[in-house]
Amino acid sequence: MEMLSEQATIAIVDDHPIYRQGLVAVFRAEARFKIVAEGASSADVLDIVKAHRPHVMILDLGIPGDSLDTLRQLCLEFPSTHCVILTACDDPQTGIAALNAGAHGYILKGVSASELKAAIWAVFKNESSFVSPEFAARLLSAVQRKDVVAINVGLSHRELQIIAEVENGSTNRMVAEKLRISEKTVKHYMSSIMNKCGATNRVSAVMAYQKMRQSGQHA
């Protein structure tokens, strides 16, 4: 039997049993994913993470309990578990709140199985956060309407190069290849960018950068 060099462990918390079972079937169909736990409420989230420490938690915001508060606690106490929101909620303010709380992705239900698996794998590999393309446009529109407070930051020339590439959808590896630097160096710069922007992930950093650019705060 061929041994996998890498396998992403996944937990799914969704209070709709049929939908949750469908997700489980989607990921179990590929050996690179391993489902380690399932839950149906906010109360299950931290118990699952403490017991299983999955690489990725797929979380529906519509579950019973305060899902956003649980998300904040998860991201603060267990940063090695990356949380991806999979939800029917397409309200930009909710999306912004989830990303600011530390979510590594915001995906609308209705996404195809192949797109979902690609997004979860990218998050597992720390290559990128993911927001459903049709929803990303609405998030940007919310930022442009100044629904999000502008952040006054100072980015270096190299940091500006990197965040511009990330904004265009490049992974850390793609940025490293284009700028001819190591992937480790890209990760270092991304950490600096997120710190300056007060962001907890790449998506929030890009949103802060876009707001900064609109305000003329380029450096």
Side-chain angles (χ1 to χ4, degrees), residues 29-210:
E30 283 197 38
R32 60 176 173 161
F33 299 108
K34 181 181 180 180
I35 300 295
V36 295
E38 299 176 49
S41 70
S42 295
D44 293 331
V45 173
L46 296 180
D47 287 341
I48 287 173
V49 176
K50 289 174 183 176
H52 301 280
R53 302 298 173 96
H55 293 122
V56 181
M57 168 75 74
I58 298 177
L59 177 65
D60 180 12
L61 289 179
I63 57 177
D66 191 334
S67 55
L68 272 176
D69 185 64
T70 300
L71 170 64
R72 294 186 189 95
Q73 190 174 352
L74 184 157
C75 295
L76 180 64
E77 297 183 13
F78 304 95
S80 62
T81 292
H82 292 172
C83 190
V84 174
I85 303 302
L86 181 60
T87 181
C89 179
D90 61 356
D91 172 51
Q93 293 303 323
T94 301
I96 290 169
L99 293 169
N100 285 340
H104 283 73
Y106 197 96
I107 304 175
L108 297 181
K109 289 184 175 180
V111 66
S112 71
S114 60
E115 290 172 326
L116 178 60
K117 287 186 287 187
I120 297 303
W121 188 254
V123 169
F124 162 64
K125 296 285 288 181
N126 287 314
E127 290 181 347
S128 67
S129 299
F130 183 88
V131 175
S132 294
E134 68 275 20
F135 188 59
R138 296 186 62 188
L139 287 181
L140 178 57
S141 177
V143 173
Q144 291 172 333
R145 292 197 309 270
K146 299 184 179 181
D147 290 338
V148 181
V149 178
I151 302 173
N152 186 12
V153 298
L155 300 182
S156 69
H157 175 69
R158 178 63 87 185
E159 288 169 342
L160 286 169
Q161 286 182 311
I162 289 172
I163 194 64
E165 292 298 328
V166 171
E167 182 185 20
N168 290 329
S170 296
T171 65
N172 286 346
R173 183 175 303 173
M174 292 165 64
V175 175
E177 290 175 354
K178 181 167 184 177
L179 299 182
R180 297 183 179 181
I181 56 179
S182 71
E183 191 171 350
K184 183 178 180 180
T185 298
V186 174
K187 290 181 179 179
H188 169 76
Y189 276 116
M190 279 306 303
S191 294
S192 174
I193 291 167
M194 288 188 288
N195 183 57
K196 289 181 178 180
C197 292
T200 54
N201 55 56
R202 293 160 63 97
V203 175
S204 296
V206 167
M207 292 171 62
Y209 164 67
Q210 291 168 336

Side-chain angles (χ1 to χ4, degrees), residues 12 18-29 35 37-38:
I12 299 173
I18 293 177
Y19 189 83
R20 188 174 69 245
Q21 290 163 16
L23 289 176
V24 169
V26 164
F27 287 105
R28 281 185 175 160
I35 300 295
E38 299 176 49

